Amino acid sequence: QQLAFYDQLTGLPNRRLMSERLRYGIELGRRENKRMALLMMDLDRFKAVNDNFGHLAGDELLQQVAKRIQKRLRDVDTVARLGGDEFIVLLKDIIHVDDAARIAEFIVNDLSQPFQLAQSDNVQIGASIGISLYPEHGEDPELLIDHADTALYHAKDAGRGRFAYFSEELTIAVRERIELETRLRRAVNNQELRLYYQPQVEIATGKIIGAEALIRWLDPDNGLIPPNYFIPLAEETGLIETIGEWVVYEACRQGKTWMDLGITDLTLAVNVSPVQFRRCDLNELVMNALRDTGFPAARLELELTESGLMENQEKVVGILNKLREQGIRLAIDDFGTGYSSLAYLKCFPLHVLKIDKSFIDDIPQLKDDMEITATIIAMGKILGFKVLAEGVETLEQLAFLEEKGCDIYQGYIKSKPLPADDFLKLLIENNTLTTIR
């Protein structure tokens, strides 16, 4: 069995065992609707090692290459040696198409680092990788292997030391996403992120009583980048935890700065990503931020989405209760777009219900949206919540909200999101504060 299914030099599965695992993976993927990736690779400049140092050095190099590749893979994945300097990797159950590219980039980088061989302690090679995806690029083993081989040819033709998908369009798109991820990591490290503040206005008095802190990315090459361009990527890559922590700290720091100037009655609202909510200890994060900055808990409001609240509701209620015990205000964001029911909503210890902008946009043109908005306002009142409407842009919308008893609004009719200094000027003008400390 060892001779039949494993490569004698590296101990890796051989072509025959890889084919069986690939066939089984396709059957499983077809039943469970799962995606796989096949990475075909060969080594750049391997022939030069054989020619210069001999076949024993080449064999030692192949053994070290096998170990480096294995270190990058999960237990469910397979790397096989097809012969010579050709290797193939099967990645099972991948979520995103660019997951394969990330592994390919890691492998290319790992194999570009110097190798220490008996004949030389500074041998450098490289690797080129072609990628095919199941089911996008084929649904049988032979076709997937052929397409990965074609993609490998394109990778070599483009300059070696890189990866390529069977689809050129997909290769371009994935490379752009990986480049964006690299730039985003740099942005976090180089302090390129900024918070802008959009005023929240009390309808009865017209006074600014709060602000939503909204993240922006000030890229040195491309200027201001909106969050919908990079937050989904941050959530996929895990960067959202670092970014989310920075947002909480920065909002609290800025709030304390304004308090020291004499503005003591402003609530700052911070969005919490569902991914951040699941992965990090939000209670500890907030407690540390409040302690370190001196910003009072009663002036911090956390906004959570419906989808984030509806996952594992018992655990969520426990987390929210602890936050509320700290004195934190809690809001449900984009209400009406998810799947909350009144039965669940009453279980959450919330303070504010935010009506999604999509219901406000077509007031007063669409009667349905007017009725839905009025119902949400009435429901919020019954449950004891303050109700805030997002995206208010016209006097007609504001008049309707006032008539229905909505408490607070935010939107371009008052102001777009502003940098901290400009928001302070607006605050002074709106609330007739003529002096600050």
Side-chain angles (χ1 to χ4, degrees), residues 361-378:
D361 285 341
D362 293 316
I363 293 175
Q365 288 80 18
L366 287 185
K367 185 178 178 183
D368 286 351
D369 282 355
M370 294 173 72
E371 291 177 350
I372 291 170
T373 300
T375 301
I376 293 174
I377 294 171

Side-chain angles (χ1 to χ4, degrees), residues 9-10 46 50 54-64 81:
L9 176 65
T10 62
F46 176 72
N50 266 341
H55 290 288
L56 287 179
D59 288 349
E60 185 183 0
L61 177 61
L62 291 173
Q63 290 169 337
Q64 292 190 27
R81 181 181 176 223

Side-chain angles (χ1 to χ4, degrees), residues 326-338:
Q326 286 192 55
I328 309 296
R329 291 173 57 82
L330 301 169
I332 181 170
D333 196 14
D334 301 336
F335 185 76
T337 60

Side-chain angles (χ1 to χ4, degrees), residues 268-296:
L268 292 184
V270 173
N271 291 285
V272 178
S273 157
V275 177
Q276 181 187 6
F277 189 73
R278 287 196 304 268
R279 292 183 180 175
C280 80
D281 187 337
L282 197 57
N283 280 285
E284 184 178 6
L285 167 59
V286 171
M287 182 173 62
N288 291 340
L290 295 174
R291 182 196 63 219
D292 294 346
T293 61
F295 191 58

Side-chain angles (χ1 to χ4, degrees), residues 4-45:
F5 291 108
Y6 290 89
D7 174 57
Q8 299 308 297
L9 176 65
T10 62
L12 296 178
N14 61 15
R15 183 186 294 270
R16 182 177 175 184
L17 181 54
M18 169 59 79
S19 295
E20 290 191 6
R21 290 186 180 178
L22 179 56
R23 195 174 301 278
Y24 175 73
I26 289 173
E27 292 174 1
L28 190 65
R30 190 176 290 123
R31 286 200 308 270
E32 300 183 3
N33 194 29
K34 292 184 176 180
R35 176 185 280 128
M36 296 187 305
L38 203 62
L39 279 59
M40 180 79 73
M41 71 182 76
D42 67 12
L43 305 182
D44 303 327
R45 300 185 297 278

Side-chain angles (χ1 to χ4, degrees), residues 55-182:
H55 290 288
L56 287 179
D59 288 349
E60 185 183 0
L61 177 61
L62 291 173
Q63 290 169 337
Q64 292 190 27
V65 165
K67 290 177 181 178
R68 289 194 188 183
I69 297 172
Q70 283 178 305
K71 285 182 179 179
R72 280 294 175 188
L73 305 180
R74 304 164 298 174
D75 291 341
V76 297
D77 303 324
T78 299
V79 54
R81 181 181 176 223
L82 301 184
D85 63 344
E86 286 188 313
F87 295 82
I88 190 167
V89 172
L90 175 62
L91 301 176
K92 289 186 177 179
D93 193 18
I94 61 172
I95 305 300
H96 304 285
V97 295
D98 47 332
D99 289 343
R102 289 195 178 90
I103 296 298
E105 283 237 314
F106 283 134
I107 292 174
V108 167
N109 182 65
D110 289 346
L111 298 185
S112 69
Q113 305 305 312
F115 287 84
Q116 279 74 48
L117 305 180
Q119 294 83 351
S120 175
D121 61 359
N122 189 28
V123 173
Q124 288 196 294
I125 59 169
S128 300
I129 298 178
I131 305 171
S132 63
L133 299 173
Y134 171 84
E136 288 89 338
H137 300 147
E139 297 193 18
D140 67 74
E142 292 75 18
L143 196 58
L144 284 171
I145 291 173
D146 285 347
H147 286 170
D149 203 33
T150 300
L152 173 60
Y153 171 81
H154 291 313
K156 288 181 174 181
D157 197 45
R160 299 180 179 268
R162 63 186 64 205
F163 70 85
Y165 281 86
F166 178 66
S167 159
E168 183 178 358
E169 295 80 7
L170 187 56
T171 300
I172 293 170
V174 168
R175 282 181 179 159
E176 287 177 350
R177 281 177 59 81
I178 290 178
E179 180 191 1
L180 177 62
E181 180 184 347
T182 301

